[in-house]
Amino acid sequence: NTLPIIKDKFGVSDVYMSGIVSGNALGAILGAVLAGYAADRLGRRKALLLNSIFLNVGWSLMAGAPSQHFFLVGRVAVGFGVGAASVLGNMFLSEISPVSIRGFIGNMFTLAGSVGFLLSFALSIPQVIGHKDIGWRLVFAFPIPMVFFQDAVLVACPETPPYLASIKREIHGTL
């Protein structure tokens, strides 16, 4: 719902607009491919915290974009973050969850993502976002506090036992 507003705001051609739309998918592919490497090198928790930089930079660039070029870079950055989070989030949750509820936790992760998509679509309805020059920016700024909340929770979480075992560190209090 925000794409026509962005197209009008920046005077973007159809070809450039297709780049903006597909930039998200390109970033997601790159993020998903590189996430496993980051998880093995840094640990799952640190990789998720690092990934938050891509998400917040991307959302900030899109929300405050002075031009279509900044918006495009923001789309690719958010795509990268979403692709990496889809790998890292599932990896982290499956490795810290007790076996008895591991499937449930994985399903809740997927459900949370689906609810997030639904909310983003609902927020982008013109009657909801309101003013054409400001409302669309708020849609892209909305996820930023959520990423900071995720980081605050992650800081309090331990690293996953499988990662600690892979680097041969002693594991205390495993699930």
Side-chain angles (χ1 to χ4, degrees):
N1 291 328
T2 57
L3 294 178
I5 296 170
I6 292 162
K7 187 174 182 177
D8 290 343
K9 172 76 176 162
F10 297 125
V12 178
S13 71
D14 288 341
V15 172
Y16 200 92
M17 200 66 195
S18 68
I20 287 174
V21 171
S22 60
N24 193 265
L26 175 65
I29 292 167
L30 292 172
V33 167
L34 296 175
Y37 176 78
D40 289 343
R41 297 284 296 168
L42 304 171
R44 285 63 161 139
R45 192 174 67 95
K46 285 182 185 172
L48 278 164
L49 288 167
L50 177 66
N51 188 50
S52 295
I53 295 169
F54 289 98
L55 291 168
N56 275 336
V57 166
W59 289 122
S60 297
L61 283 171
M62 288 192 295
S67 73
Q68 70 270 22
H69 308 300
F70 281 88
F71 194 86
L72 174 62
V73 172
R75 287 281 291 182
V76 173
V78 165
F80 184 95
V82 168
S86 68
V87 172
L88 296 168
N90 277 315
M91 186 183 296
F92 183 80
L93 290 172
S94 70
E95 291 181 2
I96 64 165
S97 301
V99 174
S100 62
I101 61 168
R102 191 168 291 159
F104 174 76
I105 297 294
N107 285 334
M108 289 300 101
F109 179 75
T110 303
L111 179 63
S114 298
V115 169
F117 282 125
L118 179 63
L119 282 175
S120 72
F121 288 130
L123 285 174
S124 69
I125 296 171
Q127 292 82 356
V128 175
I129 63 174
H131 192 268
K132 197 173 179 178
D133 288 332
I134 299 168
W136 69 270
R137 293 184 184 278
L138 297 177
V139 170
F140 295 108
F142 180 75
I144 295 170
M146 308 304 164
V147 177
F148 282 119
F149 175 74
Q150 171 191 283
D151 291 347
V153 171
L154 275 171
V155 167
C157 290
E159 184 52 78
T160 68
Y163 173 72
L164 294 175
S166 76
I167 61 169
K168 298 177 180 32
R169 287 203 19 212
E170 191 171 334
I171 303 169
H172 298 284
T174 59
L175 299 173

